[in-house]
């Protein structure tokens, strides 16, 4: 979607936040693993760039991954995962 279409970008951000709230039990328990796999999938070899500044495009996936609410909901499972890795 084009970056200058602010209504679409705002609606997509709100949709990502709503989806995160609905999926919050899953994100609290397994969010770190799901988010890391999703980020690897977005940035895999041969995938289109999530942000194309040259053409003014931004991917919906980028907006979902960079959502603050998603980050907050994944924090407990990330902390747990880091403790398990240390031991």
């Amino acid at each position: 979607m084009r970056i200058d279409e602010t209504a679409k970008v705002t609606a997509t951000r709100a949709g990502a936040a709503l989806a995160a709230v609905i999926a919050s039990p899953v994100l609290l328990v397994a969010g770190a693993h799901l988010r890391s796999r999703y980020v690897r999938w977005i940035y895999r070899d041969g995938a289109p760039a999530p942000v194309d500044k040259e053409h003014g495009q931004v991917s919906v996936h980028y907006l979902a991954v960079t959502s603050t609410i998603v980050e907050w909901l994944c924090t407990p499972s990330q902390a747990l995962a880091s403790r398990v890795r240390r031991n």
Side-chain angles (χ1 to χ4, degrees), residues 6-7 17 28 33 39 44 46 52 55 66 71 73 83-84:
T6 56
L28 287 169
H33 177 70
V39 169
R44 71 190 184 281
D52 186 4
H55 296 106
T66 59
E71 184 179 340
L73 291 172
R83 284 184 183 231
V84 169

Side-chain angles (χ1 to χ4, degrees), residues 6 10 12 16 18 28 38-39 41 44 49 64-66 68-69 77 84:
T6 56
T10 303
T12 304
L18 180 64
L28 287 169
Y38 189 50
V39 169
W41 181 76
R44 71 190 184 281
V65 170
T66 59
T68 305
I69 294 175
S77 60
V84 169

Side-chain angles (χ1 to χ4, degrees), residues 2-85:
R2 301 232 5 116
I3 294 173
D4 56 357
E5 297 173 342
T6 56
K8 283 186 180 180
V9 173
T10 303
T12 304
R13 285 185 190 268
L18 180 64
V21 169
I22 291 170
S24 63
V26 174
L27 291 176
L28 287 169
V29 174
H33 177 70
L34 295 173
R35 189 169 186 226
S36 67
R37 289 193 66 182
Y38 189 50
V39 169
R40 277 186 279 160
W41 181 76
I42 291 171
Y43 290 105
R44 71 190 184 281
D45 289 337
V51 177
D52 186 4
K53 291 182 181 179
E54 187 174 297
H55 296 106
Q57 298 279 340
V58 64
S59 171
V60 174
H61 302 292
Y62 177 78
L63 297 174
V65 170
T66 59
S67 171
T68 305
I69 294 175
V70 172
E71 184 179 340
W72 289 343
L73 291 172
C74 292
T75 300
S77 60
Q78 287 174 342
L80 182 63
S82 67
R83 284 184 183 231
V84 169
R85 285 186 197 127

